[in-house]
């Protein structure tokens, strides 16, 4: 999942994302809550309508971002008080308000409010943090179950807000149509207890427990007892060594049900996403392809390239001879290097297109390899070969 923090995947337009084959992207609740505000997005049809993106969206709970504000937050049983990084104003997130915000934003998949434990942390601290996350998961689910029909694109329930006047835009219309298709059985909306039940979001639980494998197992089992349609492994990529990340993922994923989506939050390099897919992870998100692109770091089949280097100044070859993206088909390394060195906006656009294309191609290859029955292990071996 490419990351679209502020309802935009930086420096690339939605039509290009569609062309690249992006099926789902991620928005950050904390950022969208601060700007432009949940109510504003809700009134404009939720994130789908607002950003004209008819495909799937996932929002995080805001927990991770809030916990990144070390000096600016205070955690209690009730929730987290934090200061905005924009203007220093004081705000409060609880499991309930984080669910309300995510329902208002209207992504397809939303995340339980959790505490992302810092690294390193002592055993007692890890245990207490995991217990808090479990209590917050229950509160998240309870609030979600009571309010899930209030999602902006659910127009079928009497409890839901009536549609705004005026013609809805085509993307929102297409989205409602596809949602209805997904959730319709034999041409009728499902009906429970006389109340029309329209399509709702899917709320995923998050496994915590730091780097303690026993706590991770306990967190996985107790989160599954609460019951969610998908499970995420959170609390990684928080400064721990990469070998430790892999160890925790490999151990934790075994305790999560293979028939439900297993989502590893906030990873990784192309090599790592192949490795994690091989361990059984189904979903990942990372800012790396887009952020690295804006810094001139490009992922290719020949390894990572820093396009600003003078060695590319006269290089007429494509960025990646094995990549079929519109950038590699058209432009030379010399031109891309010139754009970057000249601080041209187009450098960010083209670099982002290529990096996202490379990541998406990698995941397509992973899916293909799995479909052929070879698993992602085959690709891991290809990746680990020495680069020319
Ligand atoms: Zn390319």
């Amino acid at each position: 999942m490419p990351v679209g923090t502020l309802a935009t995947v930086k420096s690339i337009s939605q039509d290009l994302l569609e062309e690249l084959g992006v099926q789902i992207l991620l928005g950050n609740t904390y950022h969208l809550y601060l700007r432009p505000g949940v109510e504003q997005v809700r009134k404009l049809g939720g994130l789908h309508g607002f950003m004209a993106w008819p495909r799937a969206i996932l929002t995080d709970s805001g927990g991770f971002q809030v916990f990144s504000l070390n000096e600016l937050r205070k955690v209690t049983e009730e929730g987290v008080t934090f200061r905005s990084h924009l203007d220093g104003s004081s705000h409060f997130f609880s499991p309930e308000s984080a669910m309300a915000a995510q329902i208002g934003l209207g992504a397809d998949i939303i995340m339980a409010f959790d505490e992302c434990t810092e690294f390193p942390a002592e055993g007692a601290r890890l245990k207490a943090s995991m217990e808090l996350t479990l209590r917050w998961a229950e509160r998240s689910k309870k609030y979600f179950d009571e309010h899930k029909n209030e999602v902006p694109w659910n127009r079928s329930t009497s409890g839901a807000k009536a549609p705004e006047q005026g013609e809805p835009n085509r993307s929102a219309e297409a989205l409602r149509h596809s949602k209805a298709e997904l959730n319709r059985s034999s041409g009728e909306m499902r009906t429970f207890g006389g109340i029309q039940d329209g399509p709702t979001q899917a709320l995923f639980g998050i496994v915590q427990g730091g780097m303690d494998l026993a706590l991770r197992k306990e967190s996985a089992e107790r989160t599954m007892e609460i019951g969610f349609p998908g499970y995420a492994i959170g609390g990684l990529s928080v400064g721990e060594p990469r070998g430790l990340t892999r160890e925790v993922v490999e151990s934790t994923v075994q305790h999560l049900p293979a028939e439900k989506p297993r989502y590893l939050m906030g990873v990784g390099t192309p090599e790592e996403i192949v490795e994690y897919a091989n361990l059984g992870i189904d979903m990942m998100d990372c800012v790396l392809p887009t952020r690295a692109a804006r810094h001139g770091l490009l992922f290719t089949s020949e390894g990572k390239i820093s396009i600003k280097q003078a060695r590319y100044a006269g290089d007429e070859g494509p960025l990646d001879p094995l990549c079929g993206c519109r950038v590699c088909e058209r432009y030379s390394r010399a031109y891309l290097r010139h754009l970057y060195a000249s601080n041209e906006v187009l450098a960010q656009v083209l670099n982002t297109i290529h990096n996202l294309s490379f990541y998406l191609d990698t995941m397509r290859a992973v899916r293909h390899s799995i479909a052929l029955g070879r698993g992602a292990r085959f690709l891991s071996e290809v990746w680990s070969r020495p680069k020319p």
Side-chain angles (χ1 to χ4, degrees), residues 173-191:
E173 194 62 60
L175 176 84
R176 273 199 299 284
H177 189 69
S178 67
K179 297 268 176 209
E181 291 283 305
L182 278 174
N183 286 273
R184 194 170 288 157
S185 55
S186 53
E188 297 292 326
M189 284 294 193
R190 289 171 300 166
T191 304

Side-chain angles (χ1 to χ4, degrees), residues 24-25 139 159 178 240 261 265 279 385:
I24 176 169
L25 50 80
R139 283 168 57 188
S178 67
E240 78 280 10
M265 305 178 86
L279 294 175
R385 275 183 212 152

Side-chain angles (χ1 to χ4, degrees), residues 299-300 318-329 336 350-351 353-358 361:
F299 298 96
T300 78
L319 177 55
D320 182 350
L322 297 184
C323 178
C325 86
R326 57 162 73 205
V327 177
C328 292
E329 281 192 342
L336 293 173
L350 297 183
N351 291 350
I353 290 171
H354 167 79
N355 268 1
L356 279 181
S357 181
F358 188 80
D361 279 347

Side-chain angles (χ1 to χ4, degrees), residues 5-213:
T5 295
L6 275 168
T8 166
V9 177
K10 289 190 195 309
S11 69
I12 183 166
S13 64
Q14 277 73 324
D15 54 317
L16 280 172
L17 292 171
E18 285 172 355
E19 189 186 292
L20 288 173
V22 173
Q23 298 168 314
I24 176 169
L25 50 80
L26 184 142
N28 290 121
T29 297
Y30 163 79
H31 290 278
L32 292 161
Y33 160 87
L34 290 178
R35 189 170 58 189
V38 172
E39 187 52 23
Q40 182 77 299
V41 175
R42 191 196 62 75
K43 281 194 293 195
L44 295 165
L47 277 176
H48 291 283
F50 179 50
M51 68 182 287
W53 177 254
R55 296 183 186 176
I57 303 175
L58 180 150
T59 47
D60 63 1
S61 66
F64 183 78
Q65 250 97 25
V66 168
F67 289 110
S68 308
L69 304 167
N70 271 322
E71 304 301 312
L72 304 172
R73 69 176 159 89
K74 181 169 172 284
V75 183
T76 64
E77 180 68 30
E78 194 48 35
V80 186
T81 306
F82 61 96
R83 287 194 179 279
S84 159
H85 72 287
L86 295 175
D87 60 7
S89 56
S90 184
H91 300 268
F92 178 70
F93 269 179
S94 65
E96 292 78 16
S97 69
M99 289 307 104
Q102 290 186 87
I103 291 169
L105 294 173
D108 303 83
I109 300 172
I110 66 176
M111 304 303 297
F113 192 62
D114 64 326
E115 182 179 48
C116 180
T117 322
E118 68 283 357
F119 175 83
E122 296 292 318
R125 159 72 189 138
L126 280 179
K127 169 87 175 154
S129 177
M130 181 199 77
E131 295 285 352
L132 181 65
T133 286
L134 285 165
R135 291 192 295 274
W136 284 0
E138 285 190 21
R139 283 168 57 188
S140 296
K141 190 183 176 190
K142 182 169 186 290
Y143 186 93
F144 176 72
D145 284 341
E146 291 166 358
H147 297 270
K148 59 188 174 188
N149 288 322
E150 293 164 17
V151 69
W153 36 260
N154 183 348
R155 308 287 160 97
S156 65
T157 323
S158 54
K161 204 168 160 58
E164 300 290 326
Q165 290 301 309
E167 199 61 30
N169 72 45
R170 278 186 302 152
S171 292
E173 194 62 60
L175 176 84
R176 273 199 299 284
H177 189 69
S178 67
K179 297 268 176 209
E181 291 283 305
L182 278 174
N183 286 273
R184 194 170 288 157
S185 55
S186 53
E188 297 292 326
M189 284 294 193
R190 289 171 300 166
T191 304
F192 292 113
I195 300 168
Q196 269 199 329
D197 188 62
T200 66
Q201 301 165 290
L203 170 64
F204 281 20
I206 304 180
V207 174
Q208 290 285 349
M211 310 303 153
D212 184 316
L213 302 186

